Amino acid sequence: HTQDSDGRIQSRNYLPGVRKTLKESSFEPALERWFESGLQVNVKHCIKWESLPMFTPEAPSQVTWATQAYPLDCRVQQSMATFSVHDKAVETHKELCAKIGLPGGKPFTTMEKEACGSNVTHYWRWDKAV
């Protein structure tokens, strides 16, 4: 969930979204940009791509802030990728991984400054993949 500077809490029970711009030829730079801005860590040296993002037409429809922000109906194409964080990478980059709750999958928070100057706190948790 998120909490803005005046204390309002909004639940986000969906996976975070990554927006790929038309200038980006693949999802890799978009994901790296999101890791740095969304998670606020550069995990490039800690993760291994198990599978590249692939379009998943059977994915459930999710309403996000981005889809609510447009006055016109918009369609979100969902893709799924798999990453792994190896124990050796966690050991080598302890401080960096601790910022995102690793090892152990602990909940963590990040702060984001909005355009109007107020702060938003994002609360994250790790869930086991099924």
Side-chain angles (χ1 to χ4, degrees), residues 11-44:
S11 260
R12 291 181 329 194
N13 292 321
Y14 52 84
L15 296 172
V18 175
R19 290 185 191 100
K20 180 179 150 299
T21 66
L22 294 174
K23 294 177 183 175
E24 293 166 326
S25 60
S26 74
F27 269 105
E28 192 169 349
L31 285 165
E32 287 174 4
R33 183 173 25 85
W34 183 83
F35 288 138
E36 288 192 39
S37 65
L39 294 181
Q40 299 174 347
V41 294
N42 182 353
V43 295
K44 183 189 275 189

Side-chain angles (χ1 to χ4, degrees), residues 115-126:
C116 63
S118 63
N119 290 324
V120 175
T121 303
H122 297 280
Y123 295 85
W124 302 92
R125 71 170 193 252
W126 290 98

Side-chain angles (χ1 to χ4, degrees), residues 47-59:
I47 62 171
K48 179 182 177 199
W49 292 66
E50 298 290 334
S51 68
L52 296 176
M54 294 177 58
F55 177 60
T56 50
E58 71 280 355

Side-chain angles (χ1 to χ4, degrees), residues 58-89:
E58 71 280 355
S61 178
Q62 296 185 43
V63 177
T64 67
W65 286 347
T67 59
Q68 292 173 345
Y70 293 102
L72 304 171
D73 288 337
C74 77
R75 182 171 177 214
V76 176
Q77 285 191 333
Q78 294 184 47
S79 298
M80 186 175 290
T82 304
F83 302 94
S84 61
V85 181
H86 294 283
D87 292 337
K88 184 176 181 182

Side-chain angles (χ1 to χ4, degrees), residues 100-121:
I100 57 172
L102 297 175
K106 298 176 189 107
F108 64 98
T109 61
T110 57
M111 294 281 286
E112 178 183 9
K113 191 171 269 303
E114 291 189 314
C116 63
S118 63
N119 290 324
V120 175
T121 303

